[in-house]
Amino acid sequence: MAQTYKKKEEAFSDSYTENVERLKERLALDISFDVGVRNLKILDREIGIYYVTGLTDNEYIIEILKELMDLDARGKKTSDVHTAIKNHLTHVQVEETDSMDDAITQMLSGLIFIIHEGSKQAFVVDVRAYPSRGPEEPDTERVVRGARDGYTENIILNTGLTRRRIRDERLRNEILQVGVRSKTDICVSYIDGVADPELVKIVKKELKNITIDGITMADKVIEEYIVKQGYNPFPLVRYTERPDVAATHLLEGHIVIIVDTTPSVIITPTTLFHHVQHAEEYRQSAAVGSFLRFMRFTGIMFSLFILPFWLLLATNQDLLPQALEFIGPEENKNIPILLQIVFGEMGIELLRMAAIHTPSPLATALGLVAALLIGDMAVQVGYLTPEVILYVSLGAIGMFATPSYELGVALRMVRYLFLFSVALFDSSGLVIAFLVFVLALTATKPFNKPYLWPLLPFSPPEMWQILIRASVPSLKWRPSIVNPQDKIRQQPSDS
C-alpha cells in the first residue's frame, strides 16, 4: 500500500507530562544532539523551552530566560500564569499555537516554542539566526557601477534586501512551506494592486500542490514544478541574485519567488528576451546601454549561426562568391570537418565544466593546459584545423556573453541541432532546423504567456524597448505581458 503524505494534525494535551513525553518521542531528544529543551519552574508551573542549536540566536534565548527567571524571583503570585509568561517574553514576534505539529515545524525552522503546565497553548518565538554569508556581489551578474550587495542563502535577509528597495506597504511577502520532510520556506513576493491576482493564485496553488519529500535542490525543483518544464532546455523563469533586478521586476508586475537555502530568486512570468537583459545596461546612459544590448544580441546570434553557416559553406564551395573563396580549410584532414567541430565543441564544454570544479589556485594551470590541448598541439597532430578552432572559439565567446547561464546552455544544444542538420541535408537542413527551432519557441507558453513576446505576437512599441534601451523617464507603461492591474508606471509631467 502506498504511503500517504497527509496525516492527522496532533494537538497539545491538557497534561504537561503527556506533552513532554510525546515531544521526547517525536524529537528523539536522547538521540539528536542539536535538538534540546531547557526546563524551568516559573510561578510553581513547569515550563519547557524547545530549540535547535545552530539555527537560533542564543543571546535572544538567554534574554528570555533571564526575564522569566526574574519573574519567578519577584515572588508575586498570579492566577493567570499564561498571560504573565506571555508579557515577559522579551521579543517582538511572539505567537500562540495549539498544534504540536506546527510548533515542531516552527522549531525546526529556527524558532523556539515554550510550553507550560496547565495550558494547551504553546508560545512560538522567532529567534532565528541562520548560518549564512554576507550579501556579496554575484559573480555571474557583475556591473561596473551599481550596488554590490546580492542575495544569500538566508531567506530572511533576502526579503529584507528587497524591502529596502521597495518601501511600499502593498509589497506582499507570503511565506509557504514546501516539502513533506524538508519543509523548506518559500516566499512569494508581489506588489498588491500591480501584479495579476490570478497569476498569484496560480503560483501559490502550484507551490501548495508540491508533495515531494524535500526540495534540497531548491529553486530549480520549484521551476520544474510550477512551469511543468519537462525536457524543454530553455529557461521558463528568470534567475537573479541581484536585489535591484528583482525589485525592478516587482515594480513591473512580476512575481518573485524566494527559496530558503539558495541565493538565486525566481522571477516569473518571463519571456525569451528577459534572459538577454543585464543590469549593466541600466547602470549606463541610454545610448551606452543600447550599444551594449546591440553587441550582446549580435554576439548571441553570431555564436548560434556562425558554426553551422561556416560548415555549410566549407562543405559546399559552389555556394561561395568569388570574394569569399578563402572560407573553408585549405587542406583536407583525415578527420571530417563535422567531427572536428564536434571535438572542438566538446573540448570547450569539458573545459568549462572543469573550470567550475577546479580550485582557484589551479585555474591558471588549467588555462595553460587548455591552450595547449585545443590550440597548437591539436593543429600539429592533425586533429583540428586552425579555421575550426577559430570558429569554435568565436561561437564560445558569443555564448559566454549571454547573461543567462541556462539560456547559454540551451543555445549550445540548439547549435548542435543546426550542425547535424547541415551535415545531413545541407542548406535545406539549416532552414528546416531553424523553422523547427522557431516553432518550438512559439509553442512554449509558460503560465500561458507567449515565450517570444513581443516578437510573436508582435508589439512594435514594446519590441522597440527590447532592441533599444529606452531612457527611464520615457517609460510610462508597465509591460502588458504580466497583465498589470496598474498599467501606468509613472504619471506624465505637468510641465
Side-chain angles (χ1 to χ4, degrees), residues 279-341:
E280 180 67 21
E281 299 166 4
Y282 294 91
R283 292 293 184 176
Q284 305 293 338
S285 66
V288 175
S290 299
F291 171 75
L292 294 176
R293 183 173 295 183
F294 173 77
M295 293 300 296
R296 184 172 290 112
F297 283 167
T298 303
I300 293 173
M301 297 302 294
F302 192 78
S303 64
L304 185 60
F305 290 103
I306 184 64
L307 270 172
F309 194 62
W310 176 80
L311 177 62
L312 176 63
L313 296 179
T315 54
N316 295 271
Q317 294 288 329
D318 55 319
L319 297 177
L320 287 171
Q322 187 175 0
L324 298 178
E325 288 182 351
F326 63 90
I327 292 179
E330 295 181 358
E331 54 181 317
N332 294 325
K333 298 288 185 180
N334 294 326
I335 301 178
I337 298 178
L338 177 62
L339 286 182
Q340 292 185 43
I341 294 176

Side-chain angles (χ1 to χ4, degrees), residues 432-492:
I432 294 173
F434 177 71
L435 288 176
V436 171
F437 168 61
V438 174
L439 290 175
L441 293 182
T442 305
T444 303
K445 294 184 177 181
F447 291 113
N448 204 28
K449 307 292 185 182
Y451 196 55
L452 289 182
W453 180 92
L455 180 61
L456 292 174
F458 188 58
S459 175
E462 290 170 304
M463 190 64 199
W464 176 255
Q465 292 183 14
I466 293 294
L467 298 175
I468 302 297
R469 204 286 260 182
S471 61
V472 175
S474 66
L475 300 176
K476 306 297 182 183
W477 306 90
R478 292 187 171 90
S480 60
I481 189 66
V482 297
N483 189 27
Q485 302 304 288
D486 183 4
K487 295 180 172 58
I488 302 175
R489 66 192 307 172
Q490 63 174 317
Q491 296 291 340

Side-chain angles (χ1 to χ4, degrees), residues 136-204:
E136 303 168 353
E137 184 178 15
D139 290 332
T140 57
E141 297 178 273
R142 292 184 178 275
V143 293
V144 177
R145 299 187 183 277
R148 304 297 177 185
D149 57 346
Y151 287 124
T152 70
E153 292 77 10
N154 189 330
I155 190 173
I156 304 300
L157 181 59
N158 291 347
T159 55
L161 290 172
T162 306
R163 180 75 71 172
R164 183 182 179 188
R165 288 167 168 83
I166 304 178
R167 300 176 183 179
D168 187 346
E169 70 274 11
R170 290 164 293 187
L171 174 61
R172 305 289 182 251
N173 289 323
E174 297 190 31
I175 196 79
L176 303 171
Q177 288 186 331
V178 176
V180 177
R181 298 187 185 278
S182 67
K183 293 183 173 63
T184 305
D185 289 324
I186 296 179
C187 175
V188 180
S189 300
Y190 62 94
I191 298 180
D192 188 24
V194 176
D196 183 2
E198 290 301 320
L199 184 59
V200 174
K201 290 181 182 178
I202 292 174
V203 170
K204 291 194 292 185

Side-chain angles (χ1 to χ4, degrees), residues 253-425:
H254 294 263
I255 298 172
V256 171
I257 302 174
I258 306 173
V259 185
D260 194 23
T261 72
T262 179
S264 301
V265 305
I266 296 173
I267 300 173
T268 190
T270 55
T271 67
L272 176 68
F273 297 102
H274 282 98
H275 300 283
V276 295
Q277 297 178 359
H278 193 273
E280 180 67 21
E281 299 166 4
Y282 294 91
R283 292 293 184 176
Q284 305 293 338
S285 66
V288 175
S290 299
F291 171 75
L292 294 176
R293 183 173 295 183
F294 173 77
M295 293 300 296
R296 184 172 290 112
F297 283 167
T298 303
I300 293 173
M301 297 302 294
F302 192 78
S303 64
L304 185 60
F305 290 103
I306 184 64
L307 270 172
F309 194 62
W310 176 80
L311 177 62
L312 176 63
L313 296 179
T315 54
N316 295 271
Q317 294 288 329
D318 55 319
L319 297 177
L320 287 171
Q322 187 175 0
L324 298 178
E325 288 182 351
F326 63 90
I327 292 179
E330 295 181 358
E331 54 181 317
N332 294 325
K333 298 288 185 180
N334 294 326
I335 301 178
I337 298 178
L338 177 62
L339 286 182
Q340 292 185 43
I341 294 176
V342 172
F343 289 157
E345 286 281 298
M346 291 179 62
I348 294 292
E349 189 66 21
L350 289 173
L351 285 171
R352 182 191 63 81
M353 296 170 63
I356 295 175
H357 305 303
T358 302
S360 298
L362 300 178
T364 303
L366 176 64
L368 293 174
V369 172
L372 291 173
L373 289 179
I374 306 187
D376 293 339
M377 292 183 64
V379 174
Q380 292 175 8
V381 172
Y383 286 114
L384 303 178
T385 62
E387 203 167 354
V388 168
I389 295 178
L390 170 65
Y391 289 109
V392 168
S393 302
L394 290 175
I397 292 173
M399 287 302 173
F400 290 142
T402 307
S404 169
Y405 170 77
E406 294 78 13
L407 180 61
V409 175
L411 291 178
R412 279 196 288 271
M413 296 173 65
V414 172
R415 190 165 60 193
Y416 276 107
L417 170 65
F418 289 171
L419 286 170
F420 286 111
S421 298
V422 170
L424 294 174
F425 305 107

Side-chain angles (χ1 to χ4, degrees), residues 52 54-63 110 127-130:
V52 175
L55 298 181
T56 57
D57 189 331
N58 288 338
E59 295 298 326
Y60 282 130
I61 299 178
I62 292 172
E63 191 64 30
V127 294
R128 281 177 286 198
Y130 291 155

Side-chain angles (χ1 to χ4, degrees), residues 73-124:
R74 292 172 189 160
K76 294 182 179 180
K77 301 297 181 181
T78 177
S79 58
D80 193 354
V81 177
H82 185 84
T83 301
I85 294 175
K86 181 178 181 180
N87 290 339
H88 285 78
L89 293 177
T90 55
H91 202 279
V92 294
Q93 288 184 297
V94 179
E95 298 178 355
E96 297 181 49
T97 181
D98 58 2
S99 169
M100 183 176 292
D101 296 273
D102 179 57
I104 291 175
T105 300
Q106 297 283 11
M107 182 201 70
L108 295 175
S109 299
L111 292 78
I112 63 171
F113 71 87
I114 304 172
I115 60 173
H116 66 89
E117 185 180 356
S119 175
K120 297 173 64 175
Q121 297 281 328
F123 297 109
V124 179

